[in-house]
Structure formats: structure tokens, C-alpha cells
Amino acid sequence: IIDLSTPTPSWQYGPSMSQPRIQMNATILPSGKVVLTGGSFNDEDVATASLNADLYDPITNTLTSAGANAYARLYHSNALLLPNATVLLNGGNPQRGNYERRQEIYEPAYLFNSNGTPANRPTISSVGGTVRYGSTFQVITPDAADISSIALIRPGSPTHAFDQDQRFVGLSFTADNGVLTVTAPPNGNVAPPGYYMLFILNSAGTPSVATFVQLS
């Protein structure tokens, strides 16, 4: 882990994953946590593939178990956050010249109640106005009173075990009757211009389906 905002940035080790692995994928979730999937101890080696999903919490710098996938996801695999807050797992080379065609959908725990039933999700009715740096814009939602956080997440573009364009930007807001007044990022250093998925999360930490917005 490296914090480039410090005067003398330096790499620090994070917590150990459940298995040693290379060529894995790390996907930022609307909660701000990161789900780690796929990879293997040896290059393109099904026998040492990791089927464990680990969930990294950057606030506490800890890892917890987050379930498992069914198929080995080795080199050339992808993991992509979808607008419905699930993660698509696909691809991988089980052996050189072969390609894993089966796809999986990872459903994070935030989509479920403790008894396994689907959680009630907040909804976004519309987003009003243009999202410009340093300005405010409105998010219309019937769940305004129960919203605990709002996040902009840049759409992913993973390749070769990396998604270098990922970005999570938490936004400040105030809530009124059926509307959230949200403060946009201050500049392009915090959030480069372009399209983002806008998620709202309720007090239980359950995210909405995203609405795409253009930041300019």
C-alpha cells in the first residue's frame, strides 16, 4: 500500500491474503472495501489456483473471508464491478492456449440480510443538474432520510490482472425530504473528468443500483 499524498511516499505491506497468489484481481466496491479474487501461487497453474474471495477494509487495514468462486481465474482473467453492485468474474488461462469461457457473478454480503434474504436497496429516481467540479447537484430518492454515504466509482477497465483506472470518491451531502444535495469533487486531481457510477448506500450499508453521471 502506498499513500502518494505524504511528503515521502513509501510502500507498506498490507495484511496477508488467505492464499499466496499472483495475477489476481482487486475490485473496489461501493462500500469502499475491495474484493480480491482469482490468481494462483504459480503462473497459469490450476493446481495452485485460489478460489477464495478476500475482502479488504482500507479503514481497518484488515482482510476477512468473502466466500469463494467455482472456477479458477488465472492469467487473463477479469473482475468488473457492475452497476447493480455485483462483480462479474470471467476469463482466465487454465493452461496456455486454453480459455475459461464460464462466467460468474459475485454477490457481496451487503446485498443480503443476516438471514440470507435480499436486503432492501435504496433507489435513485434521478440525478438533477450537471455534475461540475466544486458545485452541488441533487439526487432525487425516496430514501433520502436513510442514506449514510454516496460514492462515485469510475467504470472499470481490467486487463492482465490490473485495473489501473479504478477510483473511489466519497462525496459529502445533506439530506432533505426526498432529495440529497451532493457536493461534487473539487478538481480533476481527485476525480478525472468522465463518466462515473453514482451509488447511494443506506444505513445498513446496502447500495443502490448505480446511475451513470458525467463529471466535467
Side-chain angles (χ1 to χ4, degrees):
I1 300 168
I2 190 167
D3 182 357
L4 298 177
S5 68
T6 61
T8 56
S10 61
W11 288 100
Q12 305 293 327
Y13 279 103
S16 296
M17 291 182 284
S18 57
Q19 292 178 254
R21 52 191 178 187
I22 59 171
Q23 298 166 347
M24 51 163 281
N25 284 279
T27 309
I28 300 175
L29 302 176
S31 61
K33 296 181 181 180
V34 184
V35 63
L36 314 174
T37 55
S40 56
F41 182 78
N42 298 316
D43 179 37
E44 294 176 292
D45 179 16
V46 173
T48 61
S50 173
L51 299 180
N52 294 335
D54 294 326
L55 190 65
Y56 176 66
D57 186 339
I59 302 299
T60 60
N61 194 33
T62 56
L63 279 169
T64 54
S65 173
N69 50 288
Y71 306 109
R73 301 295 174 185
L74 308 177
Y75 192 44
H76 294 120
S77 66
N78 284 326
L80 182 69
L81 177 68
L82 300 180
N84 67 356
T86 65
V87 178
L88 171 66
L89 306 180
N90 61 13
N93 287 134
Q95 297 88 28
R96 185 60 57 125
N98 291 335
Y99 186 73
E100 176 57 73
R101 292 177 171 84
R102 291 169 291 194
Q103 302 187 66
E104 302 172 77
I105 296 292
Y106 173 68
E107 297 178 311
Y110 55 41
L111 296 178
F112 301 93
N113 298 313
S114 58
N115 62 2
T117 58
N120 291 324
R121 305 184 66 169
T123 59
I124 297 175
S125 301
S126 64
V127 177
T130 303
V131 182
R132 297 190 183 279
Y133 291 119
S135 67
T136 59
F137 62 97
Q138 292 188 327
V139 176
I140 310 303
T141 170
D143 308 293
D146 191 40
I147 299 306
S148 62
S149 63
I150 301 177
L152 287 179
I153 299 185
R154 199 162 174 88
S157 53
T159 179
H160 290 76
F162 288 98
D163 191 347
Q164 298 178 78
D165 201 36
Q166 285 193 100
R167 189 171 296 241
F168 175 100
V169 183
L171 302 178
S172 60
F173 66 96
T174 58
D176 205 342
N177 186 24
V179 62
L180 305 170
T181 300
V182 187
T183 302
N187 53 55
N189 294 328
V190 174
Y195 286 93
Y196 287 80
M197 291 185 286
L198 174 72
F199 290 94
I200 60 174
L201 288 80
N202 63 18
S203 57
T206 305
S208 66
V209 173
T211 293
F212 278 89
V213 298
Q214 184 178 14
L215 177 62
S216 63

